[in-house]
Amino acid sequence: MPHPEIYESDDRLEVRSPMRPGMRVLLAALALFPFLAPYELILKVEWESYLHWFFLLAAFISAGAMALSACLLFAAVAGLSSQMVFDAGAGTFVYSSHAPVVRPAPRAYPLGAVVSVEVCERAWSDGAPSYHLGVATADGTVFESGSSWSRGDIESIRARVERFLSGARV
């Protein structure tokens, strides 16, 4: 999970949620393991007949393993990193997200268009909820940072953003 990081200077505050290169490499490496199923079940075994129901079961399992590999590889190359930049000098809020196969598409708004900065909760069917920063703009768009399991961490980032915005709007 890309935990948000905050970088602050006198007239600029950035909330970055990077997907680390190590995580991308790990996901790509994990994508290789499911390929063992087709090798062991289809290629290594010398099937006398492909019309046997055991072969159909092996083919079904192999197809599932290939789909899992495809999902892991997709996560490795298309996992998003995002960045929120509050720039008092330029008077803008810029949100951008990118990945190795996704071109950056920054969206810029005047700082005055930022309506609210909130801590949002995402409930999961199993386990504890995760939290992320939600920045709402005047046109109703809500931009989200990366998530954290700690509500306190996101509350701290929200407080710093609110403090920065209150100083920038004065």
Side-chain angles (χ1 to χ4, degrees):
M1 184 179 306
H3 298 284
E5 302 167 349
I6 194 158
Y7 299 92
E8 189 171 6
S9 65
D10 291 338
D11 62 344
R12 185 177 169 102
L13 183 132
E14 295 181 31
V15 179
R16 297 180 190 166
S17 302
M19 183 170 193
R20 307 250 183 253
M23 178 58 79
R24 292 184 194 282
V25 170
L26 177 66
L27 289 170
L30 287 174
L32 297 176
F33 288 110
F35 280 118
L36 288 174
Y39 173 74
E40 291 286 333
L41 297 173
I42 304 288
L43 300 176
K44 193 174 179 183
V45 176
E46 295 178 15
W47 292 95
E48 292 181 17
S49 170
Y50 294 115
L51 296 176
H52 197 275
W53 72 276
F54 280 128
F55 175 78
L56 295 176
L57 178 63
F60 181 72
I61 292 169
S62 296
M66 299 285 284
L68 176 60
S69 288
C71 288
L72 288 169
L73 193 58
F74 178 77
V77 299
L80 290 177
S81 295
S82 67
Q83 181 177 18
M84 296 178 182
V85 179
F86 302 89
D87 192 338
T92 59
F93 163 68
V94 178
Y95 177 85
S96 64
S97 59
H98 63 282
V101 296
V102 178
R103 289 189 346 198
R107 297 183 61 185
Y109 293 87
L111 274 180
V114 175
V115 176
S116 68
V117 179
E118 312 224 346
V119 174
C120 303
E121 181 177 320
R122 185 168 288 125
W124 300 99
S125 59
D126 56 345
S130 62
Y131 304 94
H132 61 276
L133 188 69
V135 177
T137 58
D139 66 359
T141 306
V142 178
F143 297 100
E144 297 179 357
S145 71
S147 300
S148 174
W149 298 115
S150 169
R151 182 178 184 97
D153 290 349
I154 302 299
E155 284 284 352
S156 167
I157 292 172
R158 184 199 59 78
R160 286 179 71 178
V161 169
E162 286 285 346
R163 191 169 41 249
F164 180 84
L165 288 175
S166 66
R169 292 180 180 154
V170 173

